[in-house]
């Protein structure tokens, strides 16, 4: 059964429920992130969840945090349930918890695109640009860019829509120094992940990073989840073909169903069992391909 909400009965303060994560305060300096099995699409949370999705996200994020640590510090302290949590609540938390540093989070979705697809393709067809950036004429859907593009968006409150912005706009929001560092890190992290994934038969079409600030060291730190099917578009390299949409190991399976059924952006939608199972299968396959480990 999918776990769509945790309930620790006030044992530790609940700070927020996001689209996927329930966030608790452990200490003044640390948080407990719990990845539930909730799933959202088009900025709306579906009525039912995907069994073990939160565990898959946590395991895959841990894989990437470890791999990318030489490039950038991150907020992860541990994926073990803290010893201070009473035993009766541990089954809700096992396998889906991250103890993380509490940091000031920049209000930017640091999106990096390696291929022309999704909302970038839609904008390109209409305007010849991607997030206001002029790109070469004559490109086709799913074509790779000559080099990865940093294409940020604003980080909207829950229920609101993120807004695609030109990279220059980030300077106005977080300041020139941090804007430059976020853009630099996002592209470096994407490039490292892209090259790793390619060895495992996966193309990372695009992904979203989030960053926070360690105010004591003035370091920009990688936060939130990292390179999961919720935050990325994964394609099977063997099936890749320019000039058309690609089959994805991510939420695109769910998005396609919502669009086909005329349910895009509507509240209270419950997925039928075949869509639940099809989506879960995509998440498991992505995990197994990227990590080389069998999902148990």
């Amino acid at each position: 059964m999918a776990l769509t909400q945790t309930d620790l009965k006030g044992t530790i303060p609940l700070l927020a429920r996001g689209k996927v994560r329930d966030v608790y305060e452990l200490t003044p300096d640390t948080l407990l992130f719990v990845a539930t099995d909730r799933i959202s699409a088009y900025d709306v949370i579906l009525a039912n969840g995907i069994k073990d999705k939160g565990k898959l996200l946590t395991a895959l994020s841990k894989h990437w945090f470890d791999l990318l640590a030489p490039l950038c510090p991150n907020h992860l302290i541990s994926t073990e349930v803290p010893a201070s949590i009473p035993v009766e609540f541990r089954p809700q938390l096992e396998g889906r918890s991250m103890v993380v540093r509490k940091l000031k989070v920049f209000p930017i979705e640091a999106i990096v695109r390696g291929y022309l697809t999704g909302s970038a393709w839609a904008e390109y067809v209409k305007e010849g640009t991607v997030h206001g950036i002029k790109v070469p004429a004559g490109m086709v859907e799913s074509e790779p860019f000559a080099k990865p593009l940093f294409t940020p968006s604003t980080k909207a409150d829950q229920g609101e829509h993120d807004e695609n912005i030109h990279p220059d706009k980030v300077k106005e929001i977080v300041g020139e120094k941090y804007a430059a560092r976020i853009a630099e890190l996002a592209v470096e992290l994407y490039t490292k992940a892209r090259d790793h994934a390619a060895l495992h038969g996966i193309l990372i079409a695009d992904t979203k990073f989030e960053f926070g600030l360690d105010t004591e060291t003035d370091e920009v730190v990688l936060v939130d989840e990292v390179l999961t099917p919720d935050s990325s578009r994964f394609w099977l390299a063997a099936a890749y073909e320019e000039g058309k949409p690609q089959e994805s190991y991510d939420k695109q399976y769910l998005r396609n169903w919502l669009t086909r059924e005329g349910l895009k952006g509507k509240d209270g939608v419950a997925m039928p069992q075949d869509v639940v199972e099809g989506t879960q299968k995509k998440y498991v396959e992505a995990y197994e391909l990227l990590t080389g480990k069998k999902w148990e």
Side-chain angles (χ1 to χ4, degrees), residues 73-218:
N74 62 66
H75 70 159
L76 181 64
I77 297 170
S78 173
T79 54
E80 298 298 317
V81 178
S84 59
I85 302 294
V87 66
E88 63 263 34
F89 301 123
R90 300 179 80 83
Q92 297 180 54
L93 307 178
E94 294 286 359
R96 56 175 81 243
S97 293
M98 294 197 304
V99 178
V100 302
R101 291 191 281 158
K102 186 191 287 187
L103 300 166
K104 177 185 174 185
V105 177
F106 292 106
I108 295 295
E109 305 272 7
I111 300 164
V112 183
R113 301 180 188 274
Y115 295 78
L116 182 57
T117 187
S119 64
W121 168 245
E123 180 187 333
Y124 178 78
V125 169
K126 189 177 178 183
E127 306 287 347
T129 57
V130 174
H131 287 237
I133 304 164
K134 194 70 179 172
V135 294
M139 292 185 71
V140 297
E141 186 172 8
S142 304
E143 183 176 340
F145 294 111
K147 59 182 181 178
L149 286 185
F150 174 60
T151 57
S153 73
T154 57
K155 186 173 168 57
D157 294 330
Q158 190 166 319
E160 302 297 318
H161 294 285
D162 300 338
E163 178 191 349
N164 290 349
I165 57 175
H166 189 281
D168 289 346
K169 185 77 174 173
V170 179
K171 299 174 191 174
E172 300 173 23
I173 298 171
V174 304
E176 190 166 348
K177 179 176 78 168
Y178 298 125
R181 185 62 177 145
I182 288 168
E184 176 187 43
L185 278 173
V187 171
E188 285 180 1
L189 292 167
Y190 170 83
T191 302
K192 172 78 171 177
R194 177 200 65 191
D195 294 348
H196 171 85
L199 297 175
H200 294 261
I202 291 283
L203 304 178
I204 303 178
D206 50 48
T207 195
K208 175 205 76 175
F209 299 109
E210 294 190 31
F211 295 97
L213 180 67
D214 184 329
T215 54
E216 291 186 3
T217 64
D218 202 36

Side-chain angles (χ1 to χ4, degrees), residues 12-77:
I12 51 176
L14 174 68
L15 299 184
R17 294 196 196 277
K19 290 174 184 172
V20 173
R21 282 166 188 77
D22 292 348
V23 181
Y24 294 89
E25 184 177 68
L26 283 172
T27 73
D29 300 315
T30 60
L31 302 173
L32 177 66
F33 279 16
V34 186
T36 71
D37 296 332
R38 295 193 292 267
I39 190 165
S40 68
Y42 300 116
D43 293 320
V44 175
I45 299 171
L46 279 292
N48 51 342
I50 306 291
K51 185 178 182 294
D52 289 341
K53 172 177 168 283
K55 293 181 179 182
L56 281 155
L57 295 185
T58 301
L60 193 52
S61 285
K62 173 71 163 58
H63 168 79
W64 288 116
F65 278 131
D66 290 345
L67 186 76
L68 300 174
L71 294 181
C72 177
N74 62 66
H75 70 159
L76 181 64
I77 297 170

